[in-house]
Amino acid sequence: MEHHMNETERPGSPLPFVGCENVRELGGYRTQDGRKVKHGVFFRGPALCDIRLPEDRALFASLGIRTVLDLRSESERRNAPDPVLEGVEYISRSALRDAQGRDVDFDIEAIFAGGEQTVSEMLREVDGGYAHMPFQNSAYVELFRILSEQKVPVYFHCSAGKDRTGIGAALILLALGVDRETVIQDYLVTNTCRPKSRHQVEQLLKRFFSPERAKELAAVTAGVQRQSMERALGTIAQKYPRFEDYLAAECGVNADTLQRIRTLYLE
């Protein structure tokens, strides 16, 4: 399989898409036992509707993706559907639901138009989402089923490839034995590879807020915060002192399956 990241490059570097930001792979990260995550297996990013340019479509096709897991809500998928890709199995599982089990939708423009109150509510909802996204979540059960059944290479995504996708990437890396700090650093890479998106969000925000506040909010809404991932990992650790117990209880990954996954995807 063709790889698009030189193995001497820093793991987690964005792939060279022209019109689509924040497409990355998990290959190259070292595990705590000295092995390395295989290249060309796990790809994370934004919605595929962002891959429009011919050169970007060709690059995506060259990855050999077998399965696409869409972590967005039903309305997000309906408003910006992924294209049909020949030979690719498409699976949709919303990764963010409210306390009543309903999909959480983010109409960004409507939220911004509501001023400080609605923006604050959105930020609280996203932050709170990190505390419960890892639990009773069929999207991440599905992600590990894809791994276990070797339906790879897999591309998993939400809208921006940062929050719901970030949790999915973290769970994979932790399951493979990558250390906690490396997992957090991979999550934070989003902040350096979405400059166009951040600018667009900032311009939108300027319609509703002062330039200073717009810039501040753009950094938060278009990027990610270390405290968010720490909150997710902290809640997992509080409930399950051993990550293996979390995987078994919440992701359907028992000890034998975990060993098999590590054998398949580490080198």
Side-chain angles (χ1 to χ4, degrees), residues 201-255:
V201 169
E202 185 175 340
Q203 294 306 113
L204 175 60
L205 281 160
K206 284 180 179 178
R207 291 165 49 189
F208 310 106
F209 299 93
S210 70
E212 296 78 13
R213 183 59 174 154
K215 186 172 184 178
E216 179 185 349
L217 284 172
V220 176
T221 56
V224 293
Q225 313 300 309
R226 182 187 180 98
Q227 67 198 41
S228 299
M229 182 57 69
E230 288 182 336
R231 183 169 188 183
L233 301 184
T235 54
I236 291 173
Q238 286 173 5
K239 191 170 183 180
Y240 300 100
R242 295 175 66 251
F243 190 70
E244 290 80 2
D245 294 335
Y246 163 80
L247 289 172
E250 301 286 350
C251 300
V253 179
N254 62 27

Side-chain angles (χ1 to χ4, degrees), residues 1-201:
M1 181 181 299
E2 185 178 356
H3 298 150
H4 293 274
M5 186 176 75
N6 186 308
E7 297 200 16
T8 62
E9 286 186 38
R10 180 177 176 177
S13 298
L15 275 67
F17 286 87
V18 177
C20 183
E21 298 179 309
N22 208 25
V23 179
R24 291 140 58 193
E25 72 151 308
L26 303 184
Y29 282 113
R30 290 284 179 185
T31 62
Q32 294 178 81
D33 65 6
R35 288 183 285 178
K36 187 170 67 173
V37 179
K38 287 183 178 178
H39 283 278
V41 179
F42 310 113
F43 295 90
R44 53 169 294 177
L48 291 176
C49 57
D50 288 349
I51 300 178
R52 300 185 183 92
L53 298 176
E55 57 266 48
D56 286 350
R57 290 178 179 175
L59 175 54
F60 188 86
S62 74
L63 302 177
I65 301 297
R66 287 186 59 199
T67 308
V68 169
L69 177 60
D70 189 338
L71 303 173
R72 297 177 297 170
S73 68
E74 182 180 349
S75 67
E76 286 174 291
R77 296 193 299 269
R78 187 172 57 249
N79 293 334
D82 280 354
V84 176
L85 303 170
E86 186 177 353
V88 176
E89 181 180 359
Y90 182 90
I91 302 169
S92 57
R93 295 286 187 278
S94 176
L96 186 58
R97 300 178 184 275
D98 63 19
Q100 286 72 45
R102 298 170 300 200
D103 282 0
V104 174
D105 297 318
F106 293 111
D107 183 339
I108 295 296
E109 187 159 355
I111 290 168
F112 292 164
E116 286 287 353
Q117 183 176 348
T118 57
V119 170
S120 296
E121 288 172 0
M122 178 195 71
L123 295 176
R124 278 197 303 271
E125 187 148 19
V126 171
D127 190 48
Y130 275 87
H132 66 249
M133 258 194 290
F135 305 102
Q136 298 181 331
N137 196 324
S138 64
Y140 301 129
V141 174
E142 187 67 27
L143 180 59
F144 279 99
R145 184 187 68 81
I146 291 167
L147 271 57
S148 178
E149 296 181 4
Q150 300 182 62
K151 294 185 174 184
V152 295
V154 58
Y155 182 84
F156 57 101
H157 75 86
C158 48
S159 290
K162 65 187 188 74
D163 298 303
R164 292 162 287 188
T165 299
I167 291 287
L171 296 179
I172 291 174
L173 291 174
L174 289 168
L176 293 175
V178 176
D179 70 272
R180 184 179 187 272
E181 182 58 30
T182 299
V183 169
I184 293 174
Q185 289 303 319
D186 176 73
Y187 168 74
L188 293 174
V189 170
T190 283
N191 289 333
T192 63
C193 58
R194 297 190 74 231
K196 294 177 187 175
S197 299
R198 182 177 294 196
H199 177 73
Q200 290 170 351
V201 169

